[in-house]
């Protein structure tokens, strides 16, 4: 298992390019199940989750051919199987995104209940209720979801809560349903807008993605398309936070300021100079960091996927900051590890109170995280700390960050990957 050895403190400075968005790429890969024609996705990030999705699609009969800048997915005449097995699904919750497309294309699907990060219960009840509203029969047996519908029919469905994956699954399923589907209380993340853009290029009739209500007029078939995945706002945000935490000056090329607005606002409030430009975002921090209060929420609120990294920045800010997590019930696994590094953090149910600034360790520390974004937060803490930090179990990080140690090295950080 690989680990990172970080020699801090480092000032993260320079220019970095945002990779393609993992969370847009995954549903877009699943969308290749909806057509017989090739779907070319450009700008895909080189990540473990992307390879897992490619393997899962391969199992379902969709071949992936490498292209210089991405991948071409080709389902051919037939999607050959309707079974997404546990061995493939367990490592990645986004595997459940094949459910809607498989059902729409084949009239049946069998998908193992998902795994993924250990950050709460993360049920898929909304995905299933939505598919039932489109006429599917859904059963849960022995850890598998089995769904049938000769052909899905358009319907009206209101989500009980805003779910990103649920919205994506239903949106994809409805493209091939008979008649019109209206989805309400939809998630509004930029990745959903990007998925709708791909589906539209494939011939789907979708209106309202990015808003509360999405209307889809079902069509009989979808065709191929070539599509560039949007830049990863979470990766971009992580690097901006690395620079803010360590007092650097950074240019993140490809970052879309509008998609990052909730983070950029808080960075400015904390005392950073944030300058969006056409094609990227620049950040500089010279003075002291100021305390801040943040509550995570579905988009356009503050993203839960940046909560752990933001917390590290708050350990370096003067005063008491609060961070409230409202999206997932168990997403503070980085707190004990940060506390071991010297951070002063009190947890009260879903709210963390961070008192700063605290110097992070002077002597070597070994830390370990059990989810993707928590791992990123420990890397940030290692960059801010004085001395050596070893972040273990980097495989979580590799699910969501493309060659992070290389990108950080190019930004003057002393980070090495080593086999443990
Ligand atoms: C996606 C992102 C993930 C991000 C999350 C929230 C991908 C591949 N992953 O995950 O990085 O952290 O959005 O922004 O895009 N819920 C239910 N019932 C359901 C579905 C969800 O109760 O049927 C709950 C979940 O337990 C969670 C909340 O809704 O508390 C949000 O989950 P959701 O938006 O579905 O997250 P994902 O799509 O899994």
């Amino acid at each position: 298992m690989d680990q990172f050895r970080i020699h801090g403190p480092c000032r993260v400075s320079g220019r970095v390019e945002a990779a393609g968005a993992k969370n847009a790429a995954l549903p877009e890969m699943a969308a290749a199940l909806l057509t017989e024609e090739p779907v070319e996705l450009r700008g895909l990030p080189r990540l473990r989750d992307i390879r897992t999705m490619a393997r899962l699609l391969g199992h379902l009969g969709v071949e992936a051919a490498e292209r210089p800048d991405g991948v071409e997915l080709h389902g051919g005449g037939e999607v050959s199987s309707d079974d997404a097995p546990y061995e493939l699904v367990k490592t990645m919750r986004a595997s459940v995104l094949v459910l809607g497309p498989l059902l729409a294309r084949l009239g049946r699907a069998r998908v193992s209940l998902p795994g993924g990060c250990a950050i709460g219960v993360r049920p898929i009840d909304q995905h299933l209720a939505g598919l039932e509203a489109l006429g599917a029969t859904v059963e849960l047996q022995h850890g598998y979801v089995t769904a049938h519908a000769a052909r899905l029919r358009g319907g009206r469905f209101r989500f009980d809560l805003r779910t990103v994956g649920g919205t994506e699954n239903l949106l994809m399923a409805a493209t091939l349903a008979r008649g019109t589907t209206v989805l309400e209380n939809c998630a509004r993340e930029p990745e959903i807008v990007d998925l709708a853009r791909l589906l539209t290029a494939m011939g789907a009739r979708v209106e309202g993605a990015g808003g509360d209500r999405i209307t889809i007029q079902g069509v009989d078939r979808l065709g191929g398309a070539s599509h560039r995945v949007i830049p990863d706002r979470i990766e971009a945000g992580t690097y901006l936070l690395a620079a803010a935490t360590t007092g650097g000056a950074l240019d993140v090329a490809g970052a879309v300021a509008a998609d990052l607005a909730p983070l950029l606002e808080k960075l400015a409030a904390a005392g950073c100079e944030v300058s969006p430009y056409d094609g990227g975002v620049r950040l500089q921090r010279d003075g002291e960091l100021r305390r801040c209060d943040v509550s995570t929420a579905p988009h356009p609120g503050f993203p839960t996927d940046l909560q752990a990294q933001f917390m590290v920045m708050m350990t370096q800010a003067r005063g008491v900051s609060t961070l409230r997590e409202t999206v997932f019930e168990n997403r503070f696994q980085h707190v004990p590890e940060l506390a071991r590094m010297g951070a002063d953090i009190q947890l009260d149910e879903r709210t963390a109170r961070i008192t700063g600034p605290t110097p992070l360790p002077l002597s070597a520390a070994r830390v370990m995280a059990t989810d993707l974004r928590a791992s990123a937060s420990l890397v940030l803490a290692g960059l801010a700390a004085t001395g050596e930090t070893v972040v273990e179990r980097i495989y979580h990080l590799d699910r969501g960050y493309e060659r992070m140690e290389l990108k950080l090295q190019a930004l003057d950080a002393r980070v090495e990957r080593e086999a443990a």
Side-chain angles (χ1 to χ4, degrees):
M1 251 181 259
D2 286 3
Q3 59 187 28
F4 275 4
R5 190 173 295 275
I6 306 170
H7 298 271
C10 317
R11 254 171 214 264
V12 173
S13 290
R15 180 179 184 276
V16 66
E17 198 147 335
K22 165 178 91 75
N23 288 353
L26 292 171
E28 289 168 1
M29 292 173 79
L33 287 163
L34 290 164
T35 176
E36 297 173 8
E37 293 178 17
V39 173
E40 187 194 23
L41 295 174
R42 288 173 285 122
L44 282 192
R46 271 161 285 210
L47 296 173
R48 198 152 61 86
D49 272 10
I50 299 293
R51 290 193 290 276
T52 305
M53 184 58 101
R55 278 177 60 212
L56 176 57
L57 291 177
H59 183 84
L60 298 170
V62 174
E63 293 307 323
E66 293 264 344
R67 291 284 174 266
D69 183 27
V71 71
E72 186 175 277
L73 299 161
H74 199 170
E78 268 305 308
V79 173
S80 68
S81 166
D82 59 352
D83 190 336
Y86 179 67
E87 291 63 43
L88 284 172
V89 172
K90 69 177 177 193
T91 58
M92 191 180 68
R93 178 178 161 83
S95 311
V96 76
L97 294 171
V98 302
L99 183 60
L102 272 182
L103 185 59
R105 171 100 180 270
L106 297 179
R108 60 183 192 280
R110 185 165 179 268
V111 177
S112 169
L113 288 171
C117 286
I119 53 173
V121 181
R122 300 184 85 174
I124 55 164
D125 56 303
Q126 298 297 302
H127 303 234
L128 304 185
L131 291 173
E132 280 176 336
L134 300 190
T137 310
V138 177
E139 282 171 59
L140 283 177
Q141 266 178 342
H142 314 300
Y144 276 79
V145 180
T146 311
H148 295 271
R151 179 164 180 197
L152 293 171
R153 54 174 155 70
R156 183 173 284 270
F157 181 71
R158 187 178 171 78
F159 293 98
D160 290 344
L161 47 76
R162 292 193 201 270
T163 150
V164 176
T167 302
E168 291 165 344
N169 232 338
L170 269 280
L171 167 57
M172 290 190 280
T175 57
L176 290 178
R178 190 192 305 279
T180 303
T181 298
V182 179
L183 302 175
E184 288 173 331
N185 200 27
C186 293
R188 294 169 290 178
E189 270 65 4
E191 292 76 18
I192 293 169
V193 178
D194 200 47
L195 171 64
R197 226 178 274 139
L198 168 65
L199 294 170
T200 304
M202 292 167 69
R205 297 173 65 189
V206 180
E207 263 172 46
D212 191 68
R213 172 194 296 205
I214 304 180
T215 306
I216 306 112
Q217 273 173 31
V219 294
D220 289 337
R221 60 177 296 281
L222 292 176
S226 175
H227 176 81
R228 173 165 286 279
V229 177
I230 52 169
D232 195 317
R233 64 195 166 98
I234 304 301
E235 190 210 27
T238 300
Y239 286 109
L240 289 171
L241 282 164
T245 304
T246 59
L250 185 70
D251 179 350
V252 184
V256 179
D259 293 347
L260 280 162
L263 171 69
L264 300 186
E265 248 169 58
K266 292 295 177 185
L267 283 168
C272 300
E273 197 181 306
V274 180
S275 327
Y277 64 95
D278 195 17
V281 173
R282 267 187 220 104
L283 177 139
Q284 182 154 2
R285 203 261 291 170
D286 298 318
E288 206 175 55
L289 281 167
R290 291 193 286 269
R291 60 161 298 283
C292 216
D293 298 315
V294 168
S295 186
T296 65
H299 193 77
F302 189 94
T304 173
D305 285 351
L306 288 172
Q307 178 255 108
Q309 302 89 313
F310 199 88
M311 189 179 293
V312 176
M313 183 179 84
M314 291 293 87
T315 67
Q316 303 305 301
R318 181 158 305 280
V320 180
S321 301
T322 63
L323 253 177
R324 187 171 154 71
E325 173 58 57
T326 73
V327 179
F328 290 111
E329 75 274 20
N330 183 23
R331 205 172 201 183
F332 281 130
Q333 292 167 354
H334 42 290
V335 169
E337 296 300 283
L338 292 175
R340 289 204 311 115
M341 290 181 72
D344 180 353
I345 305 173
Q346 305 297 320
L347 257 190
D348 177 15
E349 294 190 358
R350 288 186 168 210
T351 304
R353 288 166 62 83
I354 306 115
T355 307
T358 41
L360 294 169
L362 292 163
S363 56
R366 296 186 81 82
V367 285
M368 177 173 97
T370 48
D371 86 65
L372 165 55
R373 307 303 171 183
S375 305
S377 78
L378 298 181
V379 174
L380 263 53
L383 295 169
T386 304
E388 190 174 281
T389 305
V390 174
V391 183
E392 298 176 344
R393 298 203 183 180
I394 281 307
Y395 66 87
H396 288 294
L397 199 73
D398 290 335
R399 287 186 43 215
Y401 291 91
E402 184 181 271
R403 297 170 299 175
M404 192 186 218
E405 75 280 19
L406 300 185
K407 285 190 169 182
L408 284 171
Q409 283 162 11
L411 299 175
D412 292 342
R414 278 155 298 170
V415 182
E416 280 132 48
R417 177 186 291 261
E418 54 191 29

